[in-house]
Amino acid sequence: MAVPSTRVFLSNRQPVRPEQSYVLCWLLSSRRPTWNYTLQRAVEHAVLLRKPLVILEAVELDYPWASQRTHQCIIDGMVDASRHFSMYQVMYHPYVEPAPGEGRGLLEALAAAACLVVTDHFPCFFLPKIVAVAAARIPCRLEAVDSNGLFPLALTPSDFPTAYAFRRFLQKNLAEHLEQLPKEDPLRGALLPPPPPLPAAVLRRWPSALEAGIPKAADFPVDRDVPVVDFSGGFVAGQKRLDGFLARLDRYAEERNDPDADVASGLSPYLHFGHVSVHAIFAALALQEGWSPEKLSKKKDGHREGWWGMSAAAEGFLDELVTWRELGYTFCHHRPDYASYSSLPDWAQQTLEKHRSDPRPVTYSRQQLEEARTHDPLWNAAQRQLRQEGRIHNYLRMLWGKKILQWSESPQVALEHLIQLNNRWALDGRNPNSYSGIFWTLGRFDRAWGPERPIFGTIRYMASENTAKKWSVGAYLQRFGDRGLFAGR
Ligand SMILES: Cc1cc2nc3c(=O)[nH]c(=O)nc-3n(C[C@H](O)[C@H](O)[C@H](O)COP(=O)(O)OP(=O)(O)OC[C@H]3O[C@@H](n4cnc5c(N)ncnc54)[C@H](O)[C@@H]3O)c2cc1C
């Protein structure tokens, strides 16, 4: 099945130029060769135009929060992609900018001989801006393809105030899209002419990142205080992570929130860098569950359980992967102000304003927070995990956010701390879900909760003591606590 037109956004009004040399696929956020509507669309154009396919994957140095950690994930992905693409008659050009600004002009140079350019539509971070700039500069048509979620962003009517409202919408509208998955390997069986060598001038100025061996993130002038972590990026490691998760899926429903059990998928960085597709995850899960579309329930009442017709664990997982994840993408797609304090719902702004001047028994500076120097051992442990592993256990991440609200001079300062700490240290940061989680801390997608409390007002409150009573955190504190293995690092 061809890429549905609802997935394709036209970014400029330039023509397709059939007389030119190739179709250019510019991978920006779906950095993978499989289950990828963007690549599939580029292949479809190349086959129709009988032109070769050139695939560009690049990374700059001077984007916000660029670090060794994020760079290494992207390089890992390039290595996997390069191996995969070498099986086919396509030209894959991975490029890692060696010094700030040196990559400037590469896209335009390649687009100069392109019939058209196909790229990703990603609704967040600096990516919409660079696509808009590119669209104005290149002489041919630029299409941005939505490979983000199971539900096409273009068909969402607006943003949704709660997960419940979005779940109801999905239950009414998602079914037909579950039968329209992208091709697993869009290059398999595609009849493409051999790709031309890239012009010598292009290769001299912007050589392949893998030409002289695999580069190391440490060689690049990005934030060196945020070092590489013990994590492999790329779609091969991502697939392995998915297989391992599916093998222990039955524990997800009961133990997802237990920090010591740590049974969640760990897929969020792979989803963020686009190394694993939500469609691939859904297809693997459906296969394992023996699922088919007839199993969907006729009841569309917005309840978490019972609609998919899968096991409780699979339904719980899909509620995170589809409802919550796509709620955030939908929000960013419709709300360019997604990162502003004023995008919070009115009730949340009002209650936070009412309690703005409440005395704060304790406040911490950004540096104290960043260095895990608070009075709260569980919070410090979560912050250390973020620094050490680039992630925080899901349940503790909520607590981590709530405490930053409690310990900051104002909700606006808390928001700034949250954005900076999350996006600087988390492998999955800089994503629509980063803003979902951060703003959820301050009331987005939530409702008012009683009793009204100091500082929080009616924003949902969480306490470390309750978390430690509710869940087992002993092993977690052993690893990341003030006296744990990683303390002081
Ligand atoms: C303060 C705060 C900051 C957060 N920052 C980020 C972030 O930067 N990037 C990010 O991807 N998520 C973020 N989240 C959401 C959530 O914590 C992570 O998605 C989840 O912990 C990732 O772990 P996992 O892949 O093992 O999740 P699983 O439980 O295995 O879930 C599967 C997938 O569903 C999605 N998902 C799960 N929980 C949520 C959620 N609450 N909201 C939206 N999508 C979800 C993710 O894509 C995840 O990979 C944040 C939450 C909070 C409270």
Side-chain angles (χ1 to χ4, degrees):
M1 187 185 276
V3 174
S5 57
T6 49
R7 297 273 177 179
V8 182
F9 294 91
L10 206 53
S11 300
N12 64 12
R13 289 173 181 273
Q14 299 287 4
V16 176
R17 304 180 305 169
E19 72 284 3
Q20 290 293 335
S21 308
Y22 47 77
V23 170
L24 179 61
C25 179
W26 176 29
L27 298 180
L28 262 181
S29 60
S30 295
R31 294 171 176 263
R32 60 176 177 270
T34 53
W35 300 94
N36 185 343
Y37 275 133
T38 307
L39 178 62
Q40 184 178 329
R41 177 79 175 177
V43 173
E44 285 168 7
H45 278 300
V47 169
L48 267 178
L49 292 163
R50 299 192 189 164
K51 296 287 176 178
L53 181 64
V54 173
I55 302 161
L56 169 67
E57 183 180 353
V59 59
E60 302 171 5
L61 292 170
D62 56 359
Y63 63 89
W65 304 294
S67 68
Q68 295 197 358
R69 189 167 289 190
T70 52
H71 249 56
Q72 192 58 53
C73 285
I74 292 172
I75 293 168
D76 290 347
M78 287 175 169
V79 174
D80 287 355
S82 167
R83 286 202 189 109
H84 183 91
F85 289 133
S86 69
M87 299 190 302
Y88 295 103
Q89 278 207 122
V90 292
M91 166 65 66
Y92 171 62
H93 190 65
Y95 176 75
V96 184
E97 193 178 50
E102 286 202 8
R104 217 163 285 148
L106 169 59
L107 178 73
E108 286 94 321
L110 289 178
C115 307
L116 81 160
V117 180
V118 181
T119 192
D120 292 309
H121 172 80
F122 185 75
C124 175
F125 200 31
F126 69 107
L127 301 196
K129 201 164 153 201
I130 62 166
V131 171
V133 170
R137 284 197 187 148
I138 63 175
C140 57
R141 175 171 169 144
L142 177 64
E143 291 182 352
V145 179
D146 168 16
S147 292
N148 297 295
L150 295 187
F151 195 83
L153 288 169
L155 297 183
T156 53
S158 64
D159 58 299
F160 288 80
T162 59
Y164 172 74
F166 187 53
R167 197 181 293 115
R168 271 182 69 128
F169 172 81
L170 288 177
Q171 291 177 357
K172 287 184 189 142
N173 298 288
L174 180 61
E176 63 180 291
H177 303 285
L178 298 177
E179 296 184 65
Q180 289 177 355
L181 305 187
K183 288 186 181 165
E184 179 173 353
D185 184 350
L187 284 166
R188 195 186 300 142
L191 290 174
L192 295 172
L198 294 182
V202 168
L203 289 175
R204 249 194 325 274
R205 189 158 162 205
W206 298 286
S208 159
L210 305 178
E211 190 184 62
I214 300 172
K216 293 220 167 342
D219 300 337
F220 296 92
V222 279
D223 189 346
R224 293 205 160 100
D225 294 335
V226 181
V228 169
V229 288
D230 185 12
F231 178 89
S232 301
F235 79 92
V236 174
Q239 182 63 45
K240 224 166 125 190
R241 177 78 58 133
L242 172 60
D243 294 343
F245 170 67
L246 290 179
R248 59 169 196 277
L249 175 70
D250 53 337
R251 295 178 58 194
Y252 187 84
E254 297 289 315
E255 296 174 64
R256 175 176 189 246
N257 287 335
D258 185 341
D260 283 353
D262 202 14
V263 299
S265 70
L267 285 166
S268 57
Y270 296 101
L271 285 160
H272 170 66
F273 290 107
H275 292 155
V276 172
S277 142
V278 65
H279 289 98
I281 301 174
F282 178 73
L285 184 66
L287 189 68
Q288 172 161 315
E289 291 278 313
W291 181 87
S292 57
E294 310 80 69
K295 298 217 172 164
L296 290 175
S297 166
K298 300 268 174 297
K299 245 170 112 186
K300 303 165 200 302
D301 52 9
H303 279 95
R304 285 182 79 226
E305 295 92 24
W307 182 71
W308 292 95
M310 296 198 195
S311 66
E315 294 206 341
F317 176 64
L318 286 174
D319 201 56
E320 303 298 342
L321 181 75
V322 184
T323 311
W324 277 96
R325 179 172 175 275
E326 297 189 21
L327 176 68
Y329 277 74
T330 302
F331 194 90
C332 290
H333 177 69
H334 290 282
R335 298 286 299 266
D337 64 339
Y338 64 84
S340 319
Y341 185 82
S342 58
S343 70
L344 280 171
D346 290 344
W347 72 265
Q349 292 191 54
Q350 280 157 15
T351 195
L352 287 169
E353 188 54 37
K354 186 172 161 200
H355 291 272
R356 189 187 171 75
S357 312
D358 289 355
R360 268 74 175 154
V362 56
T363 56
Y364 293 108
S365 66
R366 171 93 48 83
Q367 193 178 350
Q368 285 171 312
L369 294 170
E370 195 146 31
E371 293 172 359
R373 286 192 285 118
T374 77
H375 66 279
D376 182 332
L378 192 54
W379 192 92
N380 291 345
Q383 174 63 19
R384 278 196 202 101
Q385 186 188 21
L386 180 61
R387 293 181 66 123
Q388 292 302 315
E389 298 190 345
R391 70 186 188 110
I392 304 181
H393 179 276
N394 176 62
Y395 193 82
L396 295 179
R397 202 171 194 174
M398 297 192 269
L399 178 74
W400 175 85
K402 293 288 182 186
K403 293 287 119 181
I404 292 180
L405 172 58
Q406 191 172 355
W407 298 335
S408 299
E409 292 88 341
S410 69
Q412 287 85 351
V413 170
L415 176 61
E416 197 46 36
H417 289 338
L418 280 160
I419 292 175
Q420 292 300 332
L421 295 181
N422 188 82
N423 286 351
R424 183 172 189 219
W425 294 96
L427 287 167
D428 62 10
R430 308 156 304 281
N431 184 272
N433 292 324
S434 314
Y435 295 92
S436 289
I438 289 166
F439 278 81
W440 171 86
T441 303
L442 305 173
R444 180 184 291 170
F445 304 142
D446 209 355
R447 61 171 171 88
W449 291 79
E452 190 163 350
R453 295 171 192 272
I455 305 171
F456 284 79
T458 53
I459 301 286
R460 187 196 297 245
Y461 173 78
M462 285 175 77
S464 304
E465 307 74 49
N466 295 346
T467 304
K469 267 190 226 145
K470 208 161 154 195
W471 301 104
S472 57
V473 293
Y476 190 84
L477 283 172
Q478 190 73 28
R479 281 187 77 195
F480 300 108
D482 292 348
R483 287 175 208 200
L485 198 57
F486 296 111
R489 284 212 208 164

